[in-house]
Amino acid sequence: MARWEPDASGRLTRAALELYAEHGYEQTTVADIAERAGVTERTYFRYFADKREVLFDASGALQELVVSAIASAPLTLSPIETIGVAMENAASLLQERREFARQRASVIATNPSLQERELLKLALLGAAAAEALRARGVREAAAALAAETGVMVFKIGFEKWVAEEESGDFPQHIRDALDDLRLLTAVT
Amino acid sequence: MARWEPDASGRLTRAALELYAEHGYEQTTVADIAERAGVTERTYFRYFADKREVLFDASGALQELVVSAIASAPLTLSPIETIGVAMENAASLLQERREFARQRASVIATNPSLQERELLKLALLGAAAAEALRARGVREAAAALAAETGVMVFKIGFEKWVAEEESGDFPQHIRDALDDLRLLTAVT
DNA sequence: GCTCTTGATGTCAGTTACTGTCATCAGCGT
DNA sequence: ACGCTGATGACAGTAACTGACATCAAGAGC
């Protein structure tokens, strides 16, 4: 524990990601994480609600980014275009932490209960995005549908981006997915 | 406990739904459920993997229905049309158990960890649907996107259907959502 | 310099979800 | 009758999580 990372929250996050990656999520106990971070188990639960939440600390910031991107988008954009721009912003943020995002994703991929939490966070992101669209005057049905569509292309774009060997362009994957969707839903 | 429901699995499901609805999910212990069903706690875990799974017993049947609907759909249908038909089939199945579905949904709505499990089951449904589309020759990108779109309209349609006072038409809600999506994504 | 407060942490006891292991017991074929 | 098998009970154990209280360091005000 040390000068280079003085706050307990950061040390816990780092310790958890390391241990989950090294020994597996199920094989790691909260006591293990707390010990590596130099605190007690009880303190862990003062920072994070449960054993999984330590991997999802950043989801709040992502959600705020999406909401403010929607709020500040030009009103000339359609709901889908608005949500597309917002999701591209979110993608750019993740892209800045590519290695962290990849390692985190690989841990989550190994455990269904972590996947559940990820899905819940995405659902909350969608709900917040829908709310932000409504605040712009988008009617209820369109807001929910556009927001869920945004989450969907974000998810699919993310999977493509993470799977790449070389560091590709995450926002571009989102644009691609939206274009594919337009083709799929186009009336023939 | 009695002749009308001789198998332990059915009694456990019934007991769990009752207790979750009456006293809340968190206030109910697995021991409570087992006791009402006339078995021990250990036996509960022989039938269901965890405390939540008892509410998701039917998800396997739903998934099989969707997969077989995709497999048996006319090859003239587009991927989106195929997935739409499959989801309408799933909706019809749920509609036959409307009261059960509504009560179950209201319990799930009260608890985030139950929502997580529901989201996971929907994700698994989407993955199975994508696989079924690929088996029809749909290329990877389109299969994933179409399957996720199907799950999305199913989810949105379900929320609308459950929210209704009178018993509406669930499959129709799915068609409506897909139509709305076509309008949203249409290039202007 | 000295309290006094406040926020963060440690300690400890307790509940409950979940698992492994073995004993029991009823039904069923031979 | 005998043994086999599948379902269940009984029991011990681990680990996630919570509530209550003690401690302790740092800063505010005097």
Side-chain angles (χ1 to χ4, degrees):
Chain A
M1 42 221 148
R3 312 229 320 297
W4 47 266
E5 183 111 53
D7 69 309
S9 168
R11 292 199 315 270
L12 284 166
T13 300
R14 174 187 302 260
L17 187 58
E18 287 173 0
L19 288 168
Y20 290 166
E22 289 172 17
H23 309 306
Y25 171 78
E26 289 174 354
Q27 284 65 44
T28 303
T29 70
V30 174
D32 293 336
I33 299 169
E35 186 186 11
R36 180 169 294 199
V39 296
T40 63
E41 196 177 337
R42 190 66 184 86
T43 293
Y44 172 94
F45 286 109
R46 289 195 175 100
Y47 282 93
F48 303 103
D50 58 43
K51 186 182 173 185
R52 291 171 281 163
E53 194 65 18
V54 67
L55 289 181
F56 299 88
D57 210 18
S59 73
L62 203 69
Q63 180 168 319
E64 288 168 22
L65 177 67
V66 166
V67 166
S68 70
I70 292 173
S72 64
L75 283 171
T76 56
L77 295 184
S78 73
I80 281 285
E81 288 168 334
T82 304
I83 208 82
V85 167
M87 290 301 163
E88 287 176 36
N89 280 16
S92 293
L93 182 66
L94 279 200
Q95 192 153 286
E96 295 170 10
R97 306 268 183 283
R98 185 160 193 272
E99 274 320 301
F100 174 80
R102 283 172 66 107
Q103 187 171 17
R104 181 178 163 282
S106 77
V107 169
I108 291 174
T110 66
N111 189 277
S113 78
L114 292 175
Q115 294 165 31
E116 290 185 353
R117 180 58 52 85
E118 172 115 299
L119 290 167
L120 181 66
K121 296 296 184 181
L122 286 172
L124 294 175
L125 180 66
E131 173 64 27
L133 283 176
R134 273 182 240 115
R136 284 163 57 97
V138 179
R139 68 190 172 83
E140 166 58 31
L145 210 42
E148 291 292 322
T149 300
V151 169
M152 176 178 73
V153 296
F154 181 84
K155 201 195 311 183
I156 288 182
F158 182 77
E159 284 162 13
K160 284 246 182 72
W161 177 64
V162 165
E164 289 175 326
E165 292 296 329
E166 295 299 310
S167 71
D169 188 347
F170 187 0
Q172 182 60 46
H173 283 309
I174 290 185
R175 283 187 288 271
D176 291 346
L178 254 183
D179 287 342
D180 287 349
L181 181 64
R182 278 188 256 264
L183 291 178
L184 273 181
T185 58
V187 191
T188 54
Chain B
M1 46 241 125
R3 315 228 317 298
W4 46 266
E5 184 111 51
D7 70 309
S9 167
R11 293 201 313 270
L12 283 167
T13 300
R14 174 187 301 260
L17 187 57
E18 287 173 359
L19 289 168
Y20 290 167
E22 289 171 18
H23 305 123
Y25 171 78
E26 290 173 353
Q27 284 65 44
T28 303
T29 69
V30 175
D32 293 337
I33 299 169
E35 186 186 11
R36 181 169 294 199
V39 297
T40 64
E41 197 178 336
R42 190 68 185 86
T43 293
Y44 172 94
F45 286 110
R46 290 193 174 102
Y47 282 94
F48 302 103
D50 59 43
K51 187 183 173 184
R52 292 171 279 163
E53 194 65 17
V54 66
L55 289 180
F56 299 88
D57 211 18
S59 73
L62 202 68
Q63 180 168 319
E64 287 169 24
L65 176 67
V66 166
V67 167
S68 71
I70 293 172
S72 64
L75 282 172
T76 56
L77 295 185
S78 72
I80 280 286
E81 288 168 335
T82 303
I83 208 81
V85 168
M87 290 301 163
E88 287 174 37
N89 280 17
S92 293
L93 183 66
L94 279 199
Q95 192 153 292
E96 294 170 10
R97 305 269 184 282
R98 184 160 193 272
E99 273 320 302
F100 174 79
R102 283 173 65 107
Q103 186 170 17
R104 181 178 162 283
S106 77
V107 168
I108 291 174
T110 66
N111 189 276
S113 78
L114 292 174
Q115 294 165 32
E116 290 186 354
R117 181 57 53 83
E118 173 114 299
L119 290 167
L120 182 66
K121 295 296 185 181
L122 286 172
L124 294 175
L125 180 66
E131 172 66 27
L133 283 175
R134 272 182 240 114
R136 283 164 59 97
V138 178
R139 68 190 171 85
E140 167 59 31
L145 209 43
E148 291 293 322
T149 299
V151 169
M152 176 177 74
V153 296
F154 181 84
K155 201 196 311 184
I156 288 182
F158 181 76
E159 285 162 13
K160 284 247 181 71
W161 177 63
V162 165
E164 289 174 326
E165 294 295 330
E166 294 300 310
S167 72
D169 189 346
F170 186 0
Q172 183 60 46
H173 284 308
I174 289 185
R175 283 187 288 271
D176 291 346
L178 255 183
D179 287 342
D180 287 348
L181 180 64
R182 278 188 255 263
L183 291 179
L184 273 182
T185 58
V187 191
T188 56

